[in-house]
Amino acid sequence: ISNKISDDFSTYEKLLSTQFSYLTPENAAKWGPVHPHEDTWNFGPLDKIVDFAEQHGMEVKGHALIWFMQLPQNDYLENLSDQEFSEAVKNHIFTLMGRYKGRIQAWDVVNEAIVVNGAHEADYGVSLRDNIFLQKMGEDYIEQVYRWAHQADPKAKLIYNDFGNEGLGEKSDQVYKLIAHLKSRKQPVAIHEVGMQMHLDASSYANPADIVANMRRLEDLGVTVNISELDVQLKNLSGSQAQKLAKQKQVYFDIVSTCVHEPACTAVTFWGFTDRHSWIDSWMGPDDPLLFDEDILPKPAYYGVRNAFLQ
Ligand code: G3I
């Protein structure tokens, strides 16, 4: 890594392609951005990402087929009958997965469907978020969309992704129940992995021993796990900036180590890699959550991650 300050795109591309091997689009594959209207598809940005990955020998994880946010900004989906809505969901999955078959190796099929004390307690004991998919397709929508996803690309790894589900607690209990339910259907559902987003705050985050215990119980159900959207906020820490960066390094080391040591954990992906471009600043206030700083130079956090992988 060069120590020269540089903010040009080639530096960004170079780091992305040399420091990472698994790429996931932050927004380009979400329903609203990629499929803004019934017959309108906007594949350009996603094509670029997949092409980039292929040129550099990286694998790609699609994010996310079924999510309650970033849906089309018009109400075409709301206006469909229940039957038409199901058809539209099936078509969305088949068209998107079909286009990138063999090029996108894994998909977050359902994202953030569970809420502790959510609006709807399903018969299978899981507390579901009230969203348009639940309203129009009923509580078996999750099972249904995994079945379609498996048909659309039988070789793709199918993931359930959520936040706050990494340690031991009610949220991860619910995710565990959902996976157990899908696995125990008469005709088992193809679900292969659980993603743990881990948008962490360095001043308070899940105990690594609990994360490992949670990974192991999921493995016992027959799924693997990944850390899917890792970033670590430091603004709530006390001390000097140097102390905060040192603590952030420790958090990155501890968290990535859980994955490195657990055979069930297949990957760590980050929600961006330079503090110059992070969702955190606009959503949670100014912060420095990633591995490289505003000048795209490596931070202590980068070495925390590197040391974890080199163990
Ligand atoms: O690109 C449009 C632009 O055309 C439009 O004019 C402008 C006006 O609102 O919005 C731009 O889109 C924004 C988009 O990011 C791209 O920058 C959206 O408003 C904004 O809502 C969107 O935020 C994304 C957020 O998901 C939406 O919930 C973040 O970038 C993205 O990092 C974040 O990612 C999520 C994961 O998908 C799921 N897990 C949590 C994670 C963080 O919230």
Side-chain angles (χ1 to χ4, degrees):
I1 298 171
S2 152
N3 271 334
K4 259 190 11 236
I5 292 181
S6 168
D7 61 358
D8 62 20
F9 189 62
S10 66
T11 303
Y12 184 94
E13 281 194 322
K14 185 149 200 112
L15 279 180
L16 184 57
S17 60
T18 55
Q19 298 293 316
F20 303 92
S21 57
Y22 195 25
L23 190 53
T24 190
E26 184 174 2
N27 289 302
K30 292 170 179 173
W31 194 319
V34 78
H35 187 189
H37 213 290
E38 199 165 1
D39 298 316
T40 312
W41 287 88
N42 176 29
F43 290 122
L46 187 53
D47 281 349
K48 270 195 185 164
I49 289 170
V50 175
D51 287 347
F52 180 89
E54 278 183 349
Q55 280 157 21
H56 297 96
M58 306 168 87
E59 297 209 326
V60 184
K61 178 171 62 180
H63 171 87
L65 293 167
I66 301 298
W67 189 32
F68 72 103
M69 285 185 81
Q70 278 173 292
L71 287 165
Q73 287 299 295
N74 45 65
D75 42 14
Y76 98 84
L77 288 173
E78 283 78 356
N79 289 336
L80 299 175
S81 69
D82 292 357
Q83 180 60 34
E84 290 167 340
F85 182 84
S86 284
E87 284 299 316
V89 170
K90 184 177 180 186
N91 173 267
H92 178 76
I93 292 172
F94 272 75
T95 306
L96 193 47
M97 289 187 78
R99 179 181 177 89
Y100 298 101
K101 211 172 180 167
R103 303 182 70 204
I104 292 187
Q105 290 79 13
W107 279 95
D108 288 335
V109 177
V110 176
N111 189 40
E112 302 174 5
I114 293 173
V115 183
V116 172
N117 300 322
H120 183 93
E121 176 86 13
D123 277 352
Y124 44 90
V126 175
S127 179
L128 297 179
R129 185 187 295 277
D130 186 18
N131 64 26
I132 191 170
F133 304 98
L134 176 69
Q135 289 159 15
K136 291 196 179 269
M137 296 174 66
E139 61 183 39
D140 289 331
Y141 84 88
I142 298 178
E143 173 176 345
Q144 179 63 78
V145 298
Y146 279 92
R147 292 199 190 283
W148 284 333
H150 187 55
Q151 285 167 20
D153 184 353
K155 292 202 178 130
K157 180 192 280 189
L158 305 184
I159 302 167
Y160 175 77
N161 190 51
D162 214 325
F163 61 85
N165 62 327
E166 63 271 24
L168 294 173
E170 282 189 66
K171 183 77 175 265
S172 59
D173 288 351
Q174 293 278 313
V175 172
Y176 179 86
K177 264 193 196 174
L178 174 68
I179 305 301
H181 164 70
L182 295 173
K183 285 276 182 190
S184 66
R185 306 305 288 153
K186 228 190 222 146
Q187 194 194 337
V189 177
I191 176 148
H192 308 114
E193 189 159 291
V194 169
M196 302 169 176
Q197 295 181 8
M198 300 213 209
H199 296 290
L200 303 181
D201 181 330
S203 70
S204 113
Y205 57 98
N207 175 355
D210 287 355
I211 297 173
V212 167
N214 189 36
M215 287 175 170
R216 289 188 183 161
R217 69 173 172 166
L218 287 165
E219 182 181 19
D220 289 343
L221 284 179
V223 291
T224 52
V225 298
N226 73 73
I227 296 175
S228 55
E229 304 179 16
L230 185 56
D231 50 28
V232 181
Q233 294 167 56
L234 47 69
K235 71 165 185 290
N236 295 323
L237 293 171
S238 50
S240 66
Q241 183 68 359
Q243 288 168 326
K244 292 180 183 184
L245 291 169
K247 172 67 184 173
Q248 185 183 51
K249 173 184 181 181
Q250 185 66 44
V251 176
Y252 268 111
F253 177 83
D254 290 346
I255 295 297
V256 173
S257 294
T258 64
C259 187
V260 169
H261 293 309
E262 273 317 299
C265 188
T266 65
V268 180
T269 44
F270 304 85
W271 218 232
F273 65 91
T274 151
D275 292 338
R276 182 178 284 246
H277 306 290
S278 164
W279 75 290
I280 293 285
D281 293 290
S282 53
W283 287 72
M284 324 284 264
D287 211 315
D288 304 299
L290 292 167
L291 307 187
F292 294 83
D293 67 13
E294 298 275 342
D295 295 319
I296 327 193
L297 291 171
K299 292 162 60 185
Y302 167 81
Y303 295 99
V305 169
R306 210 169 87 133
N307 292 344
F309 278 117
L310 291 176
Q311 285 174 95

